[in-house]
Amino acid sequence: MEENRQEKDLQTGKQALTTVDEHIFFKELVDKMPVGLYTASYETESVTWCNQYMENMFGLSANEIIALGSDFCGTLVHPDDQHLTQISQLLLSQQPLVNFGGVFRVRSANDANWKWLAGWATSLQKDNSGIATDMLCVLVDLGVCIHTYDRTIDALKDALRNKKDETLLSLTNREREVLLLIAKGLKNKEVAERLSEYTIETHRKNIKLKLNVRTTTELLKKAEDLILLNV
């Protein structure tokens, strides 16, 4: 009996430790998500909990955000956009199954500049009569999204620029001269006369092979893409 009790206590202890580990894991997961998460009460119209990302977003601790109470929106949300939070609270409290989203401006406690956020809200808890009491809100900093988009575009441009440089390096100086003149509309004979050379057709074939094109139209398009007209 004593051994069974000890084994049971051991299992209970392991389960408790597992629960604590899972709690810590999910707390860290929620805090590190790149979105602001918070819960709010319909009755008090105030934040009741928020994650660490939201603290960073507004430059306030969770306790400071909660302490603002119903003044949270009035303090941090742009005056022209505060009606959105009022609409969301009214709509979600009356229709718990509805989700509400919008775009609005906010500012942090240590920055006078306004920034755009996209927000989504849904009812989280209900009382015994089925009336919604709390809502869960998600905030996404659109400035961060735009910055990420710009960085992605810049990276793609760099990749294309590097590819262009590699393509140009595959051509000899004479082949580049030939391609430039072809891009300007000169015929083989005119190119030959301009360069005082009569092996233009050979150069042309080599250029097509290196640039992986077959027709003159493709060759001209490739030349334009490589911006050879400004060389």
Side-chain angles (χ1 to χ4, degrees):
M1 292 290 293
E2 180 65 21
E3 291 182 358
N4 291 338
R5 186 180 65 79
Q6 291 179 350
E7 179 65 23
K8 185 176 180 180
D9 289 343
L10 181 61
Q11 291 298 327
T12 301
K14 288 181 178 179
Q15 291 175 359
L17 288 175
T18 300
T19 301
V20 171
D21 289 341
E22 289 178 349
H23 174 75
I24 293 174
F25 169 76
F26 283 111
K27 183 181 184 306
E28 291 180 349
L29 180 66
V30 169
D31 280 338
K32 292 180 179 179
M33 290 180 67
V35 294
L37 294 174
Y38 73 94
T39 57
S41 167
Y42 290 120
E43 182 179 359
T44 62
E45 298 182 352
S46 60
V47 175
T48 55
W49 167 87
C50 70
N51 69 343
Q52 185 175 330
Y53 194 89
M54 182 162 164
E55 291 180 309
N56 298 334
M57 184 180 286
F58 289 99
L60 296 170
S61 68
N63 289 335
E64 289 173 326
I65 292 175
I66 293 171
L68 286 173
S70 59
D71 292 331
F72 171 75
C73 291
T75 303
L76 301 174
V77 178
H78 193 283
D80 293 342
D81 300 330
Q82 291 177 14
H83 66 285
L84 289 175
T85 59
Q86 298 168 356
I87 293 173
S88 67
Q89 291 174 353
L90 178 63
L91 179 65
L92 293 173
S93 63
Q94 295 178 351
Q95 303 181 51
L97 297 180
V98 173
N99 295 325
F100 184 87
V103 177
F104 54 96
R105 289 157 290 182
V106 302
R107 62 184 174 190
S108 63
N110 51 15
D111 188 356
N113 296 315
W114 297 101
K115 56 185 176 183
W116 286 96
L117 300 183
W120 291 268
T122 187
S123 293
L124 181 64
Q125 293 182 349
K126 305 175 186 177
D127 60 18
N128 294 332
S129 59
I131 298 176
T133 58
D134 298 274
M135 64 178 172
L136 172 66
C137 303
V138 180
L139 302 178
V140 177
D141 188 339
L142 294 180
V144 174
C145 296
I146 293 171
H147 179 61
T148 302
Y149 173 80
D150 289 341
R151 291 183 62 184
T152 302
I153 294 299
D154 289 340
L156 289 173
K157 287 181 178 178
D158 288 340
L160 291 174
R161 192 177 298 111
N162 292 336
K163 181 64 176 178
K164 180 199 74 175
D165 293 341
E166 291 174 2
T167 302
L168 289 176
L169 289 174
S170 71
L171 301 177
T172 65
N173 289 336
R174 178 60 79 186
E175 287 170 348
R176 290 185 63 187
E177 290 177 332
V178 171
L179 182 57
L180 176 59
L181 294 174
I182 291 174
K184 289 183 176 180
L186 275 66
K187 304 298 182 182
N188 283 358
K189 183 178 180 181
E190 295 171 320
V191 174
E193 292 174 352
R194 183 74 64 88
L195 299 179
S196 300
E197 186 172 334
Y198 295 95
T199 57
I200 300 305
E201 187 60 37
T202 300
H203 286 311
R204 190 183 184 111
K205 289 180 180 179
N206 289 337
I207 292 170
K208 284 184 176 181
L209 181 63
K210 290 181 178 181
L211 299 185
N212 193 29
V213 297
R214 295 183 179 182
T215 67
T216 299
T217 300
E218 291 176 342
L219 184 60
L220 291 172
K221 180 63 171 61
K222 193 71 172 182
E224 292 173 358
D225 290 343
L226 295 175
I227 322 176
L228 284 175
L229 290 175
N230 294 324
V231 174

